[in-house]
Amino acid sequence: MQSYTIGQAARLLGVSPDTARRWADAGRVATHRDESGRRVIDGKSLAEFSVEIAQGDDDDEPSYTSARNAFPGIVTGIKLGDIAAQVTIQAGPHRLVSLLTREAVEELGLEVGMQATARVKSTSVHIDRT
């Protein structure tokens, strides 16, 4: 399972590293030390937390960004069918859902907790493994 540093997690959540660190210090998201002694967050835990914060905290100010079709985030859900698949990515406050082939998901090696970028063109959402 992929792990993320506080800085990487902050970028994926659309917040400052200080905010991510405060959330970790408050126990809102679990951290552990990697072999280098850095504090990291398990990818699956970060995926769950990203969905939680996107659904709550109505008191937070809205995001004022101009996303230009690329939404880097974390995979929060994968539903595989016989032929088709649905991949959900949480990119800061944005939840994006892509419908693609099962083969594409398997070739990309996508898993919940993995970093990925959703690219939006018209009404289509494409997924890049990052």
Side-chain angles (χ1 to χ4, degrees):
M1 174 57 58
Q2 188 167 351
S3 293
Y4 299 90
T5 65
I6 296 290
Q8 291 169 325
R11 187 172 58 252
L12 292 171
L13 296 172
V15 299
S16 72
D18 286 337
T19 298
R21 200 171 291 109
R22 281 192 300 274
W23 285 341
D25 290 345
R28 291 189 64 189
V29 62
T31 63
H32 64 276
R33 300 279 177 182
D34 68 4
E35 61 278 352
S36 301
R38 295 179 303 175
R39 202 160 56 154
V40 295
I41 302 168
D42 174 69
K44 196 165 191 165
S45 296
L46 184 59
E48 291 168 1
F49 182 67
S50 70
V51 171
E52 176 188 318
I53 63 168
Q55 293 173 347
D57 289 347
D58 295 334
D59 297 336
D60 287 350
E61 288 190 33
S63 175
Y64 296 103
T65 62
S66 174
R68 304 220 175 180
N69 300 340
F71 294 83
I74 187 167
V75 177
T76 59
I78 298 175
K79 293 180 184 175
L80 294 175
D82 291 336
I83 297 171
Q86 176 181 311
V87 177
T88 305
I89 292 180
Q90 191 71 42
H94 310 289
R95 179 177 165 265
L96 297 111
V97 179
S98 178
L99 302 175
L100 57 164
T101 65
R102 179 186 182 115
E103 181 181 16
V105 171
E106 291 171 347
E107 284 180 8
L108 289 170
L110 294 176
E111 297 177 8
V112 170
M114 176 178 275
Q115 185 175 352
T117 300
R119 297 194 184 276
V120 179
K121 181 175 182 191
S122 185
T123 60
S124 299
V125 179
H126 306 267
I127 305 294
D128 298 334
R129 181 175 170 183
T130 50

